[in-house]
Amino acid sequence: MIDPQLKRGLLDVCVLSLLRRGDSYGYQIIKDLSGCIEISESTLYPILRRLESGGCLRVYSVEHNGRLRKFYRITPRGVTVIDQFLESWPEIRRVYDLIKECAGHDARRVSE
């Protein structure tokens, strides 16, 4: 299970990445993410509101079956957030490699 703090940051980038492919709505975003990372409505909607207030996405409504459905569209600021994440990936990978290496050493010490 992913640490909640780490998951929160990853979810932001995941949501923005999906929206980079095209506009979408909440339920569809949850479905699209389900193959990669677990997310619920109670987790997604605060993320969407936070990303909107941060200028990373815009919201608009479309009528669907007589009801208004909120759609989300990434902004240039949202694209910048994705790009910054991708630029930081080598550092994240080094941290992952260090943790994995140290965990291997720990396992040997614990078993002695």
Side-chain angles (χ1 to χ4, degrees):
M1 186 160 158
I2 296 177
D3 174 72
Q5 293 273 3
L6 178 60
K7 187 175 181 178
R8 177 182 172 198
L10 290 173
L11 283 172
D12 288 2
V13 177
C14 288
V15 168
L16 290 170
S17 295
L18 285 175
L19 294 173
R20 195 171 190 175
R21 292 192 314 197
D23 299 359
S24 193
Y25 56 96
Y27 179 72
Q28 187 62 52
I29 292 170
I30 291 170
K31 279 180 46 178
D32 291 343
L33 285 176
S34 68
C36 174
I37 193 166
E38 188 178 319
I39 186 169
S40 65
E41 286 183 36
S42 62
T43 301
L44 176 64
Y45 289 104
I47 289 170
L48 292 170
R49 284 191 295 276
R50 185 174 62 251
L51 291 172
E52 179 186 14
S53 68
C56 294
L57 56 84
R58 286 194 344 234
V59 180
Y60 63 95
S61 296
V62 173
E63 188 173 334
H64 177 76
N65 292 335
R67 295 179 49 207
L68 288 179
R69 177 179 281 172
K70 280 187 177 180
F71 275 80
Y72 301 89
R73 173 177 291 156
I74 194 168
T75 64
R77 170 74 187 121
V79 172
T80 299
V81 169
I82 296 168
D83 292 344
Q84 289 171 341
F85 174 82
L86 292 173
E87 287 172 9
S88 67
W89 181 249
E91 183 178 7
I92 295 167
R93 180 62 196 210
R94 287 191 301 272
V95 169
Y96 170 85
D97 290 342
L98 174 69
I99 293 168
K100 188 172 179 182
E101 177 187 335
C102 290
H105 288 284
D106 234 10
R108 286 191 294 268
R109 236 184 297 173
V110 170
S111 65
E112 293 175 351

